[in-house]
Amino acid sequence: MNPAEAYILSKPEPWRIILMELQAVIKHTLPEVEEQFKWHLPFYSIHGRMCCFLNFRKTFVDLGFTSGIHIKIHEDYLIAGEGRKNLRSLRYSCIEDIDVEVLRDVLLAAAELNRK
């Protein structure tokens, strides 16, 4: 088991199932993505460039986008990152919060930024 998977599986429910669902959607939507474990978090890179990461917080799961400020689709869903200029994230408090269509659109937009 790689460290990113160990991170996900170590979290309590309901957070674990949210993390697992997000991981599955990321890998399915972006088959070229490379899963890594950096700064104690699962990170996802495309062509060696960081695209997004998963972060369990006490009351939600954060799917952060390192260049999120440049994502221009579904901006009303993207949350500015706590004092970080470029970071934007999608936040989930329960599995029902995951809108797969919005998630896929944002992932594809983030991946396109990384390919440029």
Side-chain angles (χ1 to χ4, degrees), residues 11 34-35 39 45-46 56 60 67 69 76 78 82 89 100 103-105 107 109 112:
K11 301 308 173 208
E34 181 182 344
E35 184 176 60
W39 300 289
S45 299
I46 297 175
F56 162 68
F60 59 88
S67 297
I69 194 168
D76 49 325
L78 293 166
E82 304 150 355
S89 64
V100 176
L103 175 55
R104 285 184 181 150
D105 288 348
L107 284 167
E112 186 59 33

Side-chain angles (χ1 to χ4, degrees), residues 66-81:
T66 54
S67 297
I69 194 168
H70 302 292
I71 297 172
K72 301 302 178 191
I73 190 166
H74 300 300
E75 290 181 273
D76 49 325
Y77 288 88
L78 293 166
I79 298 167

Side-chain angles (χ1 to χ4, degrees), residues 26-96:
I26 291 167
K27 288 181 174 184
H28 184 265
T29 304
L30 307 173
E32 75 274 29
V33 79
E34 181 182 344
E35 184 176 60
Q36 302 168 318
F37 194 68
K38 296 182 176 192
W39 300 289
H40 306 286
L41 298 173
F43 265 84
Y44 299 88
S45 299
I46 297 175
H47 305 299
R49 296 180 64 195
M50 288 186 284
C51 180
C52 60
F53 62 91
L54 295 173
N55 188 11
F56 162 68
R57 306 295 290 264
K58 290 182 182 182
T59 59
F60 59 88
V61 170
D62 205 31
L63 173 55
F65 296 91
T66 54
S67 297
I69 194 168
H70 302 292
I71 297 172
K72 301 302 178 191
I73 190 166
H74 300 300
E75 290 181 273
D76 49 325
Y77 288 88
L78 293 166
I79 298 167
E82 304 150 355
R84 299 178 199 135
K85 293 179 184 177
N86 292 318
L87 182 75
R88 296 294 180 268
S89 64
L90 296 172
R91 291 190 177 165
Y92 304 100
S93 299
C94 64
I95 193 78
E96 293 81 15

